[in-house]
Amino acid sequence: LRHAAQHAENHRLIFRRPLCPFRPSENQRIKIKITNSFKKDSERNRFMNNRAARPTVSVMIPYFNCKEYIAETIESVRQQSYPDIEIIIVDDGSAQEHADYLKKFLADKPDIHYAVQANLGVAAARNHAARLAKGKYFLFLDSDDLILPDYIEKCVAILEAEPKCKLVYPKVEFFDAQN
């Protein structure tokens, strides 16, 4: 986030979670959703059909020993209704088993940028991803998060409609690993 904050004039952030005084328990994950930002379907269609109006969103995912969830997280990003997305995953020194799993999973996904670093922690992995990012907007996801299919589209619509807006954050829904 430090890198993102240093470049606040060039990038605006899409936060994956509101700032809150609680953390999910270890056996909970979050689903991320945002309320509708278009007043009419015609506004949505006009926005989505205007290629020039669609800035790139860099989705950055730090990864550390999370092979149980990373595929779902990546698929939730790839299934977005918003088309101009770059995905960057930084492996933060995972154990060999987890690193091998991720490499194999990404082998047929050349559109996903993949980087590896020594285990320096999640903040360093996010900063590494931010340095690689080319998008106008940044979205940081954890490797066990899920986003709903229209999440990025709605966030970008808000940011584009409100130039003074510097960040968008959603409501979250906690759910157990079994659900």
Side-chain angles (χ1 to χ4, degrees):
L1 286 176
R2 185 179 323 126
H3 179 330
Q6 290 171 348
H7 295 86
E9 294 304 312
N10 298 327
H11 301 283
R12 292 189 285 167
L13 302 175
I14 301 171
F15 274 87
R16 73 192 191 300
R17 300 178 191 187
L19 300 175
C20 57
F22 60 88
R23 297 180 60 82
S25 67
E26 196 168 301
N27 65 340
Q28 288 182 316
R29 297 175 61 205
I30 64 170
K31 259 186 215 172
I32 301 172
K33 58 186 172 184
I34 194 159
T35 57
N36 192 1
S37 57
F38 294 106
K39 292 181 176 85
K40 299 177 184 173
D41 282 341
S42 61
E43 289 179 29
R44 178 192 181 277
N45 292 339
R46 193 169 36 254
F47 177 74
M48 290 300 288
N49 291 330
N50 184 355
R51 175 97 173 111
R54 292 192 321 238
T56 300
V57 175
S58 297
V59 179
M60 294 160 278
I61 306 169
Y63 174 82
F64 180 74
N65 293 345
C66 197
K67 72 178 188 173
E68 296 82 8
Y69 302 116
I70 190 67
E72 276 185 284
T73 298
I74 292 168
E75 289 310 311
S76 80
V77 175
R78 295 183 93 196
Q79 293 175 7
Q80 291 297 297
S81 59
Y82 189 80
D84 297 314
I85 297 171
E86 76 168 335
I87 302 172
I88 302 166
I89 300 173
V90 176
D91 184 339
D92 187 36
S94 292
Q96 195 63 51
E97 171 188 356
H98 293 268
D100 290 345
Y101 174 85
L102 182 59
K103 285 180 208 169
K104 184 176 178 181
F105 181 77
L106 296 176
D108 64 343
K109 296 166 185 63
D111 57 311
I112 297 177
H113 306 284
Y114 173 66
V116 179
Q117 68 180 30
N119 182 238
L120 301 172
V122 69
R126 286 187 182 122
N127 286 336
H128 186 160
R131 284 189 297 276
L132 300 173
K134 294 178 175 65
K136 178 178 180 182
Y137 300 121
F138 285 1
L139 170 57
F140 296 96
L141 288 180
D142 287 342
S143 55
D144 62 349
D145 288 348
L146 298 175
I147 53 177
L148 295 177
D150 59 352
Y151 175 70
I152 292 176
E153 176 185 338
K154 289 178 178 180
C155 290
V156 171
I158 292 167
L159 290 164
E160 289 292 298
E162 301 291 335
K164 291 184 178 182
C165 179
K166 294 296 182 187
L167 71 96
V168 174
Y169 67 91
K171 294 181 179 181
V172 298
E173 176 182 323
F174 293 100
F175 62 102
D176 293 333
Q178 293 82 17
N179 293 338

